[in-house]
Amino acid sequence: MAVFERLTHLFSATGSSLSSTLFPENSPPPFTSFTVFLLEVSQTPFPLIDQNYPNFSPIHKTVNLDLPITDPQAETFRSCGNDVVVAGFVLFFPNYSSFLAKPGFYIEDIFVRECYRRKGFGKMLLSAVAAQAAKMGYGRVEWVVLDWNVNAIKFYEEMGAQIMQEWRVCRLTGDALQAFANINI
Amino acid sequence: MAVFERLTHLFSATGSSLSSTLFPENSPPPFTSFTVFLLEVSQTPFPLIDQNYPNFSPIHKTVNLDLPITDPQAETFRSCGNDVVVAGFVLFFPNYSSFLAKPGFYIEDIFVRECYRRKGFGKMLLSAVAAQAAKMGYGRVEWVVLDWNVNAIKFYEEMGAQIMQEWRVCRLTGDALQAFANINI
C-alpha cells in the first residue's frame, strides 16, 4: 500500500510493531478501538467457520467471475484452510463529530491485492464498514484520498461520498511533536 | 464554532445528545475514547482542585496580561468556583497509523471564546494534547483546517505542523450512508 501511494519514506511499521499496537493483550473490543476486516477468498467452498464470535460474525459471499484469478503470491498470503488466501483488508476505528453529536468510523487503510482488483471487493469492504456504522447508529464514515488518485475519487463519488475540497489535514509528528509537547507556555 | 466555520447547516447537536454520546455511563476511560480538555480561567487565585484524578491531573498556569479581559458572557460560561469561567476547549480521541504502527491523537475541535483569543490559550490547549501524546508514546497529532483560514494555517505551521496539501477528506453520511450500508454486493 505504501508503494502504491508513493509513501514508502513514511513507512516504518514491522509485523511485531503492528501486532503489539493493534492487538495488545487486554485491548478494547472491536468497534470501540481499532478494527481490521480481512478479505479472504477461496476458489473451493469455504471451510466451516465458527459463527459465534462475540463481536462480529463473518460475512460470506459467493462471487461468480468471468475469468479465474491467478494469484502468484498465494503461498505468502495463505490463511487458515487449504485454499483460503488473504486478498485485502480494511482498518478502521471510531471518531466523533461534535456537530452531529454522534460517533462515526474513520477508515485508515483499505487495500485489495493487485490480482483481486476491479471485481467489487473494495466496494464489499467499504460496504461492510458502512453497514456496521449504520447498525451502531453512527453518523458518518470518513477516510482520505490523494488528490491525484482520480480513479479512487470517481469510485468514492459514485458510491455517494462527498469529497471535502476545502479541508486540509494538519500533522504534528516526530521531532516537531516532541518539541511542541515540551514547550512551557 | 459552527458559526465561525460557516458550517451551521451541518450542526445538529444538543446539550443532551452531546452528553449522552460523549460521556455515557460506563464509557471507556479518557485517551482510549473521546476526551475533552476544558480551558477554565479565573482572575483571582484558582480554587483548590483535587489533584487525584485517576487519568489526568489538571494543569495550572499563571498568565500575566497587559490588559484585563472583559467577558460579556461570563455568567453563561461560569464553571465551578466563584470566579471561574470556561474560556475554551479541545476535543480529541485516538487514531492509528499503520505506517508508523502507532496510535496518535486526532483533534476534532479546538475553540477559544472570542474575548480570550490572541493570548496564547489556543497554543496552550494544543500543547497539552501534544504533551499527552508524547507521554503515551503516540506518533502523531492530527486535525483539519479550512483552506481559507489563513491565520490558523500560519499559526499551525509556526508550531511545526505540516499542512498535507495532497489529501482530501471523503465523507459518507446521512441517506448516502444508509443506502450504501444496505447494498447487497
Side-chain angles (χ1 to χ4, degrees):
Chain A
M1 180 155 158
V3 171
F4 178 79
E5 290 186 332
R6 308 173 198 167
L7 293 175
T8 48
H9 56 290
L10 296 180
F11 191 81
S12 61
T14 65
S16 69
S17 68
L18 282 168
S19 74
S20 70
T21 53
L22 275 176
F23 311 109
E25 276 186 70
N26 304 316
S27 63
F31 308 125
T32 67
S33 179
F34 319 124
T35 302
V36 178
F37 285 167
L38 276 186
L39 173 69
E40 296 180 309
V41 297
S42 172
Q43 299 192 27
T44 55
F46 232 82
L48 194 66
I49 288 175
D50 178 8
Q51 293 285 336
N52 298 315
Y53 285 85
N55 292 297
F56 188 76
S57 297
I59 299 170
H60 286 254
K61 299 269 180 192
T62 302
V63 180
N64 294 311
L65 301 173
D66 292 336
L67 292 168
I69 296 171
T70 307
D71 182 350
Q73 291 183 284
E75 219 33 66
T76 309
F77 288 95
R78 194 165 300 285
S79 184
C80 61
N82 260 347
D83 195 33
V84 180
V85 172
V86 173
F89 75 101
V90 58
L91 193 165
F92 61 102
F93 42 78
N95 61 7
Y96 184 81
S97 163
S98 52
F99 278 31
L100 298 181
K102 284 183 184 176
F105 283 134
Y106 181 84
I107 298 176
E108 176 70 16
D109 300 316
I110 179 162
F111 191 72
V112 175
R113 292 180 45 227
E114 228 271 310
C115 57
Y116 297 99
R117 289 183 201 155
R118 288 168 296 278
K119 297 175 198 322
F121 292 130
K123 202 169 183 179
M124 207 181 275
L125 285 168
L126 274 174
S127 126
V129 178
Q132 187 66 34
K135 186 177 160 191
M136 295 172 78
Y138 281 16
R140 288 175 181 166
V141 176
E142 292 182 309
W143 61 94
V144 293
V145 67
L146 284 159
D147 63 353
W148 51 257
N149 195 351
V150 288
N151 288 336
I153 290 172
K154 185 157 172 275
F155 168 61
Y156 297 146
E157 284 180 332
E158 279 168 5
M159 65 185 237
Q162 300 162 259
I163 315 297
M164 317 294 284
Q165 297 294 350
E166 278 194 313
W167 293 95
R168 294 292 173 275
V169 176
C170 304
R171 178 178 293 170
L172 190 59
T173 189
D175 292 343
L177 172 61
Q178 297 300 324
F180 192 68
N182 292 327
I183 58 168
N184 195 2
I185 298 167
Chain B
M1 182 155 155
V3 171
F4 177 79
E5 290 186 333
R6 307 173 198 167
L7 293 175
T8 47
H9 56 291
L10 297 180
F11 191 81
S12 60
T14 64
S16 69
S17 67
L18 283 167
S19 75
S20 70
T21 53
L22 275 175
F23 311 109
E25 276 187 70
N26 304 316
S27 63
F31 309 123
T32 68
S33 179
F34 319 126
T35 302
V36 178
F37 285 165
L38 276 186
L39 173 69
E40 296 180 310
V41 297
S42 172
Q43 299 192 29
T44 55
F46 232 82
L48 195 66
I49 289 176
D50 178 9
Q51 293 284 338
N52 297 315
Y53 285 84
N55 291 297
F56 189 77
S57 297
I59 299 170
H60 286 254
K61 299 269 179 193
T62 303
V63 180
N64 294 310
L65 301 172
D66 293 336
L67 293 167
I69 295 171
T70 306
D71 182 351
Q73 291 182 283
E75 218 34 67
T76 309
F77 289 95
R78 194 165 301 284
S79 184
C80 61
N82 261 345
D83 196 31
V84 180
V85 172
V86 174
F89 76 101
V90 58
L91 192 166
F92 61 103
F93 42 78
N95 62 8
Y96 183 81
S97 164
S98 52
F99 278 32
L100 298 179
K102 282 183 184 175
F105 283 135
Y106 181 84
I107 298 176
E108 175 71 17
D109 301 316
I110 179 161
F111 191 72
V112 175
R113 291 180 46 227
E114 227 271 312
C115 56
Y116 297 99
R117 289 184 201 155
R118 288 168 295 277
K119 298 176 198 322
F121 292 131
K123 202 169 182 178
M124 206 181 275
L125 285 169
L126 274 174
S127 124
V129 178
Q132 186 66 35
K135 187 178 160 191
M136 295 172 78
Y138 282 15
R140 290 175 179 165
V141 176
E142 293 182 308
W143 60 94
V144 293
V145 67
L146 284 160
D147 63 353
W148 52 256
N149 195 351
V150 288
N151 287 337
I153 290 171
K154 185 158 172 275
F155 168 62
Y156 296 147
E157 283 180 332
E158 279 167 7
M159 64 184 238
Q162 301 162 258
I163 315 295
M164 317 294 284
Q165 297 295 350
E166 278 193 312
W167 292 96
R168 295 293 173 273
V169 177
C170 306
R171 177 178 293 171
L172 190 58
T173 190
D175 293 343
L177 173 60
Q178 296 302 323
F180 192 68
N182 291 327
I183 58 167
N184 194 3
I185 297 168

